[in-house]
């Protein structure tokens, strides 16, 4: 609930800052970009703890236990769009910005335990506060290269659908903290490009006292990783 409130505050604050600027100022602070990833976008869902009772042959009674379920995605291709607004420009070579980066990914999701059902497609929405420096930081920049670092939160719907409805449904909608860093340069075609690395990681799940060790996943946290290529559209 706290994270959802943060998202609402983030979007509302961005709207307030954006709406207070005049049209001429807005046009000099808004940036658009598109990007893609091939075989370099991974996401793992939070762990779902499933309580159940099993028969204990030693005591000839039923005992309470727990098993675990989570999914991991295998990336085939991702397409993304970036909307960025500079909320503060310190100089012609540095700025503080807000960005929203929706993406859709063709990804195969395979649950680690309990079921063989396969999921398809991922929607991802990172919301980031960034520090921009050098090329691409402002429209007045004359730098040949630049970089950006940012942090925030990201929402996942992963997977969007299953080939067949699983008997045990994993967690498919979740929000985790995320950090991002990018290196910018001018291409031979005089286009500003960026190589961007994004990494997100959620909190570890607390293990119950009694559980089935063979169902324990490789990671007790949700996480994401993406290496992408991005091109500025209006720069």
């Amino acid at each position: 609930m706290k994270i959802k409130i943060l998202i609402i505050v983030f979007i509302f604050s961005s709207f307030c800052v954006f709406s207070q600027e005049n049209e001429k100022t807005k046009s000099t602070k808004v940036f658009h970009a598109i990007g893609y990833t091939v075989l370099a976008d991974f996401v793992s869902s939070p762990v779902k703890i499933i309580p159940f009772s099993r028969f204990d042959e030693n005591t000839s009674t039923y005992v309470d236990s727990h098993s675990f379920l989570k999914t991991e995605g295998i990336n085939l291709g991702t397409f993304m769009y970036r909307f960025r607004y500079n909320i503060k420009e310190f100089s012609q070579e540095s700025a503080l910005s807000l960005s929203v980066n929706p993406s859709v990914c063709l990804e195969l999701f395979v649950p680690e335990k309990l079921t063989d059902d396969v999921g398809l497609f991922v929607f991802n929405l990172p919301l980031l506060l960034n520090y921009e420096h050098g090329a691409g930081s402002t429209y007045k920049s004359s730098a040949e290269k630049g970089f950006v670092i940012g942090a925030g939160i990201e929402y996942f719907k992963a997977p969007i659908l299953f080939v067949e409805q699983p008997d045990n449904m994993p967690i498919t909608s979740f929000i985790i903290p995320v950090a991002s860093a990018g290196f910018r340069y001018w291409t031979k075609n005089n286009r500003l490009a960026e190589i961007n690395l994004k990494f997100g990681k959620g909190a570890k799940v607390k293990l119950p006292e009694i559980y089935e060790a063979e169902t324990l996943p490789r990671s007790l946290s949700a996480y994401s990783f993406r290496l992408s290529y991005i091109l500025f559209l209006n720069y």
Side-chain angles (χ1 to χ4, degrees):
M1 180 60 71
K2 290 182 179 179
I3 295 179
K4 291 182 178 179
I5 293 174
L6 284 175
I7 291 179
I8 295 172
V9 172
F10 185 96
I11 295 175
F12 180 75
S13 300
S14 302
F15 175 79
C16 289
V17 172
F18 186 73
S19 62
Q20 289 172 2
E21 301 281 1
N22 59 49
E23 291 301 320
K24 185 177 180 180
T25 304
K26 285 179 184 178
S27 64
T28 63
K29 292 188 175 183
V30 173
F31 299 77
H32 303 276
I34 57 173
Y36 65 89
T37 297
V38 178
L39 303 178
D41 191 353
F42 306 97
V43 59
S44 179
S45 71
V47 176
K48 183 178 182 179
I49 300 177
I50 303 174
F52 71 98
S53 296
R54 63 173 175 80
F55 185 75
D56 189 336
E57 296 182 354
N58 295 325
T59 61
S60 298
T61 60
Y62 283 93
V63 296
D64 293 332
S65 188
H66 300 81
S67 60
F68 306 93
L69 177 63
K70 73 178 303 183
T71 58
E72 290 190 341
I74 303 171
N75 171 265
L76 300 177
T78 299
F79 177 79
M80 69 197 73
Y81 164 74
R82 175 194 286 167
F83 173 85
R84 191 188 107 206
Y85 179 72
N86 281 0
I87 56 177
K88 176 66 175 179
E89 295 185 349
F90 305 106
S91 69
Q92 67 179 23
E93 301 294 349
S94 63
L96 188 68
S97 74
L98 294 169
S99 65
V100 182
N101 310 290
S103 68
V104 177
C105 173
L106 175 56
E107 194 151 348
L108 298 178
F109 261 80
V110 182
E112 283 195 23
K113 310 290 181 180
L114 300 184
T115 179
D116 295 325
D117 296 289
V118 174
L120 296 171
F121 303 108
V122 174
F123 174 73
N124 176 222
L125 182 65
L127 306 173
L128 297 168
L129 178 66
N130 310 287
Y131 174 71
E132 317 274 345
H133 184 80
S137 59
T138 74
Y139 283 108
K140 297 178 181 179
S141 172
S142 59
E144 293 295 320
K145 297 177 182 180
F147 69 86
V148 56
I149 53 174
I153 52 179
E154 61 178 342
Y155 166 79
F156 278 99
K157 175 63 178 176
I160 294 175
L161 58 88
F162 284 95
V163 175
E164 294 184 4
Q165 192 73 6
D167 295 330
N168 295 295
M169 178 63 74
I171 297 173
T172 59
S173 294
F174 54 95
I175 298 170
I176 58 176
V178 65
S180 174
F183 171 74
R184 294 173 182 156
Y185 64 97
W186 289 96
T187 68
K188 294 181 179 179
N189 297 324
N190 201 32
R191 298 286 301 277
L192 185 61
E194 177 181 322
I195 304 298
N196 185 273
L197 177 65
K198 177 178 72 70
F199 179 74
K201 188 172 179 62
K204 279 189 176 182
V205 66
K206 184 178 180 181
L207 293 176
E209 293 183 3
I210 302 175
Y211 60 88
E212 304 301 298
E214 65 272 14
T215 68
L216 195 66
R218 289 186 290 271
S219 171
L220 295 175
S221 305
Y223 65 86
S224 69
F225 170 87
R226 177 191 291 162
L227 181 64
S228 55
Y229 179 75
I230 297 170
L231 278 175
F232 281 65
L233 295 178
N234 60 330
Y235 196 84

